[in-house]
Amino acid sequence: MLTQKIEDQIRESGIIAVIAIEDAADAVPMAQALQRGGITAIELTLRTPAALDAIRAIREGVPDILLGAGTILTTEQVDAALAAGAQFGVAPGLNSRIIEYADKVGLPFAPGVMTPSDIERALELGCKTMKLFPSESIGGMKTLSTMAAPYKHLGIGFIPLGGLNEGNMASYLSSPLVAAIGGSWLAKTDRISAKDWDGIEATAAAAVKIAAEAKA
Ligand SMILES: O=C[C@H](O)COP(=O)(O)O
Ligand SMILES: CC(=O)C(=O)O
């Protein structure tokens, strides 16, 4: 489960940039570009061999950005993410072994859900903040509103991810059910590899502007 502090920081950020990175040397300039654009939270996915080194580099070089590890699929990855300095962890799905292990070793963690049964399992395991994945494919905010209605009184929050972009993010952020949204469009892997820092900064700034308007 997430700690209250991390949950608050995620809510405050509103947007989590989801990153898959090929070269750890690009991690700090990428995080700085996002930060210049106003992004305050990153999820670095453990999908590439460079991911753990990238987490270490960002924690050292850009310590004031909230940094999570994504695509945590094994308990070994929980340990590795924590050792690299990740402040929280997430996954596309719900694995009770990983939730319990993350709690045991002290990694604030949010599992992924996409059905009412998943939500109930997450609640049973103490997780009130959950990823919603793959959000747009399952009907986006319309599906989330209907699906979350029976659990709203329990104070749950979602981080929708999967298919989000500048065009649909406002529909999510105007809902109190949504703690923050996540997306890879903010810093695509090929743009990072091309070192398009100005482009990443501009995309981040555009998203931050939309988020501010949606929450106003
Ligand atoms: O697998 C999930 C992606 O990393 C995040 O979704 P997205 O690429 O649609 O933003
Ligand atoms: C999709 C997602 O939430 C993850 O890879 O962690």
Side-chain angles (χ1 to χ4, degrees):
M1 69 188 77
L2 292 182
T3 57
Q4 191 61 50
K5 182 170 171 230
I6 296 292
E7 150 98 45
D8 290 347
Q9 283 180 270
I10 287 175
R11 269 196 185 271
E12 181 68 25
S13 74
I15 304 173
I16 301 176
V18 179
I19 307 294
I21 196 166
E22 302 288 1
D23 184 351
D26 291 332
V28 166
M30 179 272 304
Q32 288 169 333
L34 287 169
Q35 198 175 42
R36 283 195 302 277
I39 294 288
T40 58
I42 289 177
E43 170 193 327
L44 209 308
T45 61
L46 303 187
R47 299 182 198 178
T48 59
L52 289 167
D53 282 341
I55 290 174
R56 269 186 284 274
I58 295 170
R59 283 299 285 151
E60 201 176 306
V62 198
D64 51 344
I65 206 154
L66 179 67
L67 181 60
T71 325
I72 295 189
L73 306 178
T74 65
T75 55
E76 289 77 13
Q77 286 177 320
V78 173
D79 287 332
L82 204 52
Q87 292 159 291
F88 69 95
V90 293
L94 188 156
N95 178 330
S96 56
R97 215 157 60 83
I98 291 181
I99 293 172
E100 284 161 359
Y101 189 74
D103 282 351
K104 189 173 119 192
V105 297
L107 181 71
F109 186 82
V113 300
M114 67 169 277
T115 67
S117 301
D118 292 342
I119 294 174
E120 290 180 24
R121 191 85 184 101
L123 286 170
E124 194 171 52
L125 290 160
C127 300
K128 286 199 168 185
T129 304
M130 313 160 199
K131 274 289 192 77
L132 179 72
F133 181 78
S135 188
E136 279 295 298
S137 308
I138 63 163
M141 198 54 229
K142 189 164 184 279
T143 297
L144 176 59
S145 304
T146 313
M147 183 167 76
Y151 314 105
K152 230 160 100 177
H153 63 288
L154 299 172
I156 54 175
F158 294 88
I159 305 169
L161 180 81
L164 273 69
N165 54 43
E166 278 175 21
N168 57 26
M169 61 179 279
S171 68
Y172 288 92
L173 284 171
S174 45
S175 166
L177 281 169
V178 173
I181 54 123
S184 67
W185 92 94
L186 294 148
K188 285 275 180 207
T189 307
D190 53 354
R191 274 179 115 184
I192 299 170
S193 297
K195 305 187 195 309
D196 179 12
W197 311 135
D198 288 346
I200 289 172
E201 178 183 339
T203 302
V208 168
K209 186 165 179 276
I210 294 168
E213 285 163 5
K215 285 176 166 184

